[in-house]
Amino acid sequence: MTNNKELRDLILQFLTQGKKSSYSTEEISHGLGSSQVLDFKKFVQLIAEMERENLIKFTRKGKISLVSSDVFVEGIFHRNERGFGFVTFDEEEEDIYISKESTAYALDGDTVKVDIMKPARERDDRGPEGKVIEVLERAVTQIVGEFTAFTEEKVSRTELYGVVVPKDKKLSSFKVFVGAEGIKPLDGSICMVTMTRFPDANHPESLEGVVIKIVGHKNDPGMDILSIVVQHGIPVEFPEEVLVQAEAIPDKISSSDFESRRDLRDEMIVTIDGEGAKDLDDAVTVKKLDNGHFFLGVHIADVSYYVTENSPIDQEAFDRGTSVYLTDRVIPMLPQRLSNGICSLNPMVPRLTMSCEMEIDLAGKVVRYEIFPSVIQTAARMTYTAVNAILEDQDPEICEKYQELVPMFHKMKELHLILEKMREQRGAISFEDHEAEVRVDSEGHPYDILLRHRGLAEKLIESFMLIANETVAKNYHQLKLPFIYRIHEQPKEEKMQRFFEFATIFGVVVKGTKETIRPKDLQAVLEQVAGRPEEAVINTMMLRSMQQARYSEDSLGHYGLAAENYTHFTSPIRRYPDLIVHRLIRSYQDRPVAEKVKQHWQDEISEIADHSSKMERRSVEAERDTDSLKKSEFMMDK
């Protein structure tokens, strides 16, 4: 074994040169290689020595990182509407609180250098406090807002065309003055302004810039939503080279595409989606086996076959990260020629898919599975409404129309109930879905708000997608291959403590402690309040107490689903991580997997996971802003 001095130097070198800020003991051991670490017990003892000598430290999650000799840290500033904020500098460490007076005029999303004035005090449950000493990089270089014109006399005196009020809520307290150069907008125009001056000691509540684009006028139909889209930096148009590549993709499958694929065109496979869906990316089939188990086939559009790595379409899909679903429009991740054409699992035509076939026992356990490329031909394009009419209403007319498929739908219901019970027993949290759907007219004005109903059809498709995602994740985790996972970490103690205190107001007692709360304990709370007037508010507050789900190269489990391994495999038309999962499956088809293939993905996945998580949050924020806008507009005359 390498002597302690050499091994100590190797550990420090590994931590210094590594791409991540912290590593588990196992990751360091594996990274140094078995020849360097022959005695794992002594290796762990050396790690403990190095911690005592203050060379390394353990993060809150038990990972190891270097002790920084620098009193300053760099991170991302998250600004509250009231002016104060927090700096995130390491996912393993607590965020640094920055008071309103200590922000150095940083704006939301800026990369900043921070001096930590007060370290965290664990016994008081207080995080670190600091002050921003320098803004290193501005996150917002362009803003979108409504322009108010100055008079000609004021333009001449101030050399400013007017002022823009930002659409972004986190910038709503700032005025953006428009310099008298470049484009001169009309009063009431929605403009894009590029910044030339940021807030400083002389102008603490204003910015300055020049108009580079007129998005439209505030009274134009749909301009309110388009303003939100542009403000969030969501691209609306596809670049020319992306459209050219999309046009070059054939709209029909040729026999050469079938090579190395399992032909499942004779199987009874169906898609089940909403009436308005055009991008059909998942299809299913269910059978009862002779041994009493169920056979579930989940077949997903093989988008990665057409969207090749580093092609223009791939780069654009990576940049977008996800499709964005707004009240009156969808901004797709992929050009419609793919999403609604060759990649959509339209009925009665052959389509290329990536399949996950599972044998599931009566306890909901997957006892056998296969993951492989395939070709299918769906027997029908079913809707949730039609399947609910068969399973919930036993509608004779609908049952007659789909008589060949009705027995399979009843088997799907049986399997769904088994899978649902399995998730309940292991402690998955089941939030009642009370989402409101805003209906708008052709001019974009809201005329009604309806409560979305989730019937058996919606729930069974969700069950099948969940088990497929879990099975794929478990397979690649066991193979110890680089992979992208969907993770949902244990709630933070301080947020759980606040939720406990809130629930007590309603006489709700939560079992477990804030440190060790299990999903099953939180599910018990939801069951306690089911049907009570406070159900909705308890649901909401519990959701806010949770961590945000995100993508990661580490399989840290999914707390809400009580799943050890989870990924996103089932929606590659609208989510980039799903497309990557398909690409990984294809990369790992040849066994043993080549070291250069493993290394390639080891280097790539961290950035893909991080960017995809950010783009997902951007999409959610745009959807929430749009939803709030239309609900407010609907209530204006009520």
Side-chain angles (χ1 to χ4, degrees):
M1 178 177 173
T2 307
N3 67 46
N4 275 10
K5 169 91 171 57
E6 287 176 6
L7 186 55
R8 184 185 299 246
D9 291 343
L10 285 170
I11 291 168
L12 293 173
Q13 185 181 347
F14 179 85
L15 291 170
T16 304
Q17 295 177 353
K19 290 194 172 183
K20 298 196 294 182
S21 59
S22 59
Y23 294 85
S24 67
T25 310
E26 291 78 9
E27 284 174 322
I28 296 172
S29 172
H30 179 74
L32 296 180
S34 56
S35 61
Q36 305 290 348
V37 187
L38 293 173
D39 188 335
F40 189 72
K41 186 177 178 183
K42 287 185 179 177
F43 174 72
V44 172
Q45 287 171 348
L46 178 60
I47 291 286
E49 274 179 35
M50 292 174 71
E51 185 198 15
R52 286 194 295 274
E53 292 167 18
N54 207 33
L55 294 170
I56 59 171
K57 65 177 181 176
F58 283 91
T59 68
R60 289 180 302 154
K61 296 179 184 174
K63 291 192 174 184
I64 297 159
S65 67
L66 288 168
V67 172
S68 174
S69 58
D70 197 346
V71 287
F72 303 127
V73 296
E74 292 181 14
I76 305 297
F77 178 63
H78 303 283
R79 185 181 189 273
N80 185 282
E81 289 169 49
R82 286 174 284 173
F84 66 87
F86 293 87
V87 170
T88 303
F89 67 101
D90 187 334
E91 66 177 35
E92 300 284 336
E93 302 287 356
E94 283 190 82
D95 292 352
I96 304 165
Y97 170 73
I98 310 291
S99 68
K100 185 177 180 179
E101 298 73 32
S102 304
T103 62
Y105 311 105
L107 301 177
D108 187 62
D110 287 350
T111 302
V112 296
K113 184 184 281 189
V114 177
D115 187 0
I116 298 178
M117 312 299 289
K118 293 181 184 177
R121 296 205 302 267
E122 286 189 24
R123 64 168 186 259
D124 299 337
D125 205 22
R126 293 186 63 168
E129 295 181 25
K131 69 173 183 179
V132 176
I133 57 170
E134 186 183 352
V135 177
L136 300 173
E137 186 180 346
R138 293 288 184 182
V140 178
T141 56
Q142 295 177 343
I143 68 103
V144 174
E146 184 182 326
F147 176 76
T148 300
F150 287 168
T151 62
E152 286 302 322
E153 182 273 326
K154 194 170 182 180
V155 171
S156 177
R157 179 165 47 84
T158 62
E159 296 185 347
L160 298 168
Y161 282 146
V163 66
V164 164
V165 177
K167 291 284 183 183
D168 188 339
K169 286 185 291 188
K170 288 175 181 170
L171 293 172
S172 58
S173 61
F174 292 92
K175 288 181 177 178
V176 182
F177 292 105
V178 176
E181 55 183 291
I183 300 170
K184 184 179 182 181
L186 295 173
D187 194 70
S189 294
I190 304 297
C191 309
M192 181 181 283
V193 181
T194 190
M195 296 297 105
T196 56
R197 177 183 61 74
F198 290 91
D200 55 31
N202 296 322
H203 312 89
E205 293 181 357
S206 70
L207 303 91
E208 194 170 317
V210 293
V211 173
I212 57 168
K213 183 179 180 182
I214 308 292
V215 180
H217 192 272
K218 65 178 182 179
N219 296 329
D220 293 344
M223 186 49 58
D224 48 1
I225 291 181
L226 184 58
S227 301
I228 291 170
V229 170
V230 175
Q231 177 57 51
H232 283 284
I234 298 169
V236 180
E237 305 293 333
F238 283 101
E240 184 63 28
E241 66 268 26
V242 172
L243 295 175
V244 167
Q245 190 193 351
E247 282 300 316
I249 292 171
D251 53 11
K252 288 184 180 174
I253 292 171
S254 69
S255 56
S256 63
D257 297 325
F258 289 15
E259 289 176 16
S260 304
R261 289 182 181 273
R262 199 173 299 180
D263 194 340
L264 305 176
R265 283 177 293 173
D266 292 335
E267 296 282 327
M268 189 181 284
I269 298 170
V270 297
T271 58
I272 306 176
D273 292 273
E275 275 91 344
K278 294 186 178 71
D279 51 349
L280 315 178
D281 54 9
D282 58 87
V284 291
T285 184
V286 169
K287 301 173 198 169
K288 200 82 176 275
L289 301 173
D290 293 340
N291 62 2
H293 293 176
F294 285 87
F295 171 88
L296 169 63
V298 174
H299 310 283
I300 309 299
D302 190 358
V303 179
S304 66
Y305 183 76
Y306 300 102
V307 180
T308 53
E309 192 173 359
N310 292 325
S311 65
I313 295 179
D314 183 48
Q315 289 170 2
E316 183 69 13
F318 168 77
D319 288 343
R320 295 181 178 223
T322 180
S323 295
V324 185
Y325 294 82
L326 304 175
T327 312
D328 64 348
R329 69 196 76 185
V330 177
I331 301 168
M333 183 180 81
L334 298 172
Q336 286 192 339
R337 181 175 169 81
L338 271 75
S339 59
N340 297 355
I342 194 72
C343 291
S344 185
L345 306 182
N346 299 332
M348 309 304 289
V349 290
R351 286 290 185 259
L352 305 183
T353 44
M354 199 65 83
S355 296
C356 179
E357 291 187 340
M358 295 154 276
E359 181 182 333
I360 301 171
D361 68 16
L362 298 182
K365 183 181 178 184
V366 177
V367 295
R368 188 189 66 80
Y369 65 87
E370 282 187 275
I371 301 161
F372 55 90
S374 55
V375 56
I376 67 167
Q377 186 161 310
T378 58
R381 187 257 195 259
M382 299 298 300
T383 64
Y384 292 131
T385 304
V387 177
N388 283 328
I390 292 165
L391 295 178
E392 294 178 351
D393 308 326
Q394 289 82 49
D395 185 305
E397 191 178 327
I398 302 292
C399 288
E400 174 68 24
K401 182 178 178 181
Y402 298 109
Q403 56 183 308
E404 286 186 9
L405 298 170
V406 167
M408 182 171 73
F409 294 139
H410 284 287
K411 292 187 187 83
M412 286 183 178
K413 176 183 174 181
E414 274 186 78
L415 177 56
H416 156 63
L417 294 174
I418 287 169
L419 292 170
E420 187 177 55
K421 186 178 178 183
M422 174 272 293
R423 291 196 305 274
E424 283 174 7
Q425 287 178 338
R426 76 182 185 191
I429 304 169
S430 176
F431 289 98
E432 271 310 304
D433 198 354
H434 296 302
E435 277 189 41
E437 179 186 353
V438 183
R439 296 279 177 90
V440 296
D441 61 23
S442 58
E443 295 287 301
H445 300 304
Y447 63 86
D448 202 1
I449 299 178
L450 304 172
L451 203 60
R452 281 198 182 99
H453 169 71
R454 271 168 35 92
L456 256 174
E458 288 91 338
K459 290 176 181 176
L460 67 83
I461 287 296
E462 180 183 50
S463 273
F464 298 165
M465 299 304 117
L466 287 174
I467 197 67
N469 285 334
E470 208 172 314
T471 301
V472 170
K474 184 178 180 181
N475 177 66
Y476 289 97
H477 180 65
Q478 288 175 341
L479 290 170
K480 293 183 167 54
L481 291 166
F483 207 67
I484 187 166
Y485 297 94
R486 177 71 168 175
I487 65 168
H488 184 221
E489 293 157 283
Q490 174 126 350
K492 290 185 177 178
E493 287 179 30
E494 59 270 22
K495 286 196 172 183
M496 270 295 107
Q497 181 64 43
R498 285 199 289 272
F499 174 68
F500 286 2
E501 291 164 1
F502 179 80
T504 306
I505 297 168
F506 297 95
V508 176
V509 179
V510 186
K511 290 181 182 176
T513 65
K514 64 182 186 293
E515 298 91 355
T516 60
I517 191 81
R518 300 172 303 165
K520 194 174 276 191
D521 300 324
L522 294 178
Q523 180 58 36
V525 172
L526 297 180
E527 288 165 7
Q528 271 189 67
V529 299
R532 283 163 54 173
E534 62 269 24
E535 178 185 5
V537 73
I538 292 280
N539 267 6
T540 302
M541 291 307 291
M542 188 186 290
L543 265 172
R544 288 183 181 177
S545 304
M546 296 284 180
Q547 297 251 51
Q548 278 186 325
R550 61 187 176 90
Y551 297 101
S552 173
E553 70 272 30
D554 299 317
S555 184
L556 303 177
H558 197 293
Y559 184 83
L561 293 171
E564 287 184 24
N565 311 110
Y566 195 68
T567 191
H568 273 167
F569 159 76
T570 54
S571 294
I573 288 177
R574 63 184 180 89
R575 290 188 305 228
Y576 193 73
D578 303 53
L579 195 158
I580 289 297
V581 165
H582 285 216
R583 198 172 281 162
L584 288 165
I585 293 169
R586 179 170 278 107
S587 295
Y588 297 151
Q589 273 184 289
D590 295 332
R591 301 291 168 81
V593 178
E595 282 303 318
K596 69 175 183 179
V597 172
K598 290 186 203 175
Q599 191 58 53
H600 169 70
W601 289 116
Q602 192 74 56
D603 295 342
E604 295 287 327
I605 288 174
S606 178
E607 184 187 352
I608 292 169
D610 183 55
H611 180 75
S612 297
S613 298
K614 287 174 181 170
M615 293 306 97
E616 179 188 32
R617 285 196 288 277
R618 178 178 77 171
S619 169
V620 168
E621 286 169 9
E623 287 167 19
R624 281 180 184 159
D625 288 352
T626 303
D627 212 37
S628 299
L629 177 81
K630 289 301 172 185
K631 285 175 181 174
S632 302
E633 190 181 335
F634 177 76
M635 295 303 294
M636 278 175 68
D637 61 350
K638 304 293 184 288

